[in-house]
Amino acid sequence: MQEVYEFLKACGTYYLATADGDQPRVRPFGTIDIFDGKLTIQTGRKKDVAQQMLTNPKIEICGFHKGTWLRVKAVAREDARIEAAEHMLEAYPSLKKMYQPGDGNTMIFALEQGEAVFSSFTETARTIRF
């Protein structure tokens, strides 16, 4: 899990896919944290992506860095604890302009049942489960 975290952090921007009914939705994302032993991401409750993850928590993430790409599939579960939001916002202080712990909008999702596959054109794919 630490390797997945470090890779996504190094990417800066990765892409998160959700389902909107029968329509896939993909958007750039940039938050990744480890809180209470789980990978976490952050978004706003008012955003479509949050509502999509609440309706269907199965997500996929894809990122590319230095010739290697990473695909992660997981189940995104809301972590409503104030401490989770505080931890994320300390890791991304620029978000404090838009989000605050306990503001009713800040949402943290823990990634559970994760499977990450590291791939490249020059090496055999590796799978990590977390």
Side-chain angles (χ1 to χ4, degrees):
M1 182 179 62
Q2 183 70 32
E3 185 178 3
V4 173
Y5 165 78
E6 290 172 7
F7 187 93
L8 292 173
K9 193 82 166 163
C11 286
T13 299
Y14 58 86
Y15 298 88
L16 174 73
T18 59
D20 185 8
D22 66 348
Q23 180 64 48
R25 301 289 181 191
V26 179
R27 80 273 296 148
F29 242 68
T31 58
I32 191 73
D33 197 13
I34 296 177
F35 178 74
D36 199 18
K38 294 182 181 177
L39 283 177
T40 59
I41 58 176
Q42 183 273 335
T43 192
R45 184 174 300 277
K46 299 172 188 170
K47 293 184 177 182
D48 290 343
V49 65
Q51 298 310 307
Q52 290 159 10
M53 287 189 288
L54 289 170
T55 300
N56 180 351
K58 293 180 180 178
I59 59 101
E60 290 204 2
I61 290 172
C62 187
F64 185 82
H65 184 66
K66 293 187 177 181
T68 300
W69 60 93
L70 172 65
R71 288 189 205 121
V72 177
K73 66 179 179 179
V75 175
R77 301 273 186 226
E78 182 182 6
D79 186 336
R81 293 178 289 173
I82 295 290
E83 297 85 0
E86 289 171 343
H87 198 269
M88 179 67 75
L89 294 172
E90 285 305 312
Y92 293 90
S94 63
L95 293 177
K96 291 179 181 180
K97 296 174 190 170
M98 299 177 290
Y99 299 102
Q100 293 295 315
D103 65 4
N105 186 36
T106 301
M107 292 189 77
I108 305 300
F109 286 90
L111 304 184
E112 300 176 349
Q113 302 172 32
E115 181 178 283
V117 179
F118 290 89
S119 302
S120 76
F121 290 117
T122 59
E123 296 181 26
T124 303
R126 291 184 303 109
T127 301
I128 297 171
R129 289 179 178 79
F130 57 92

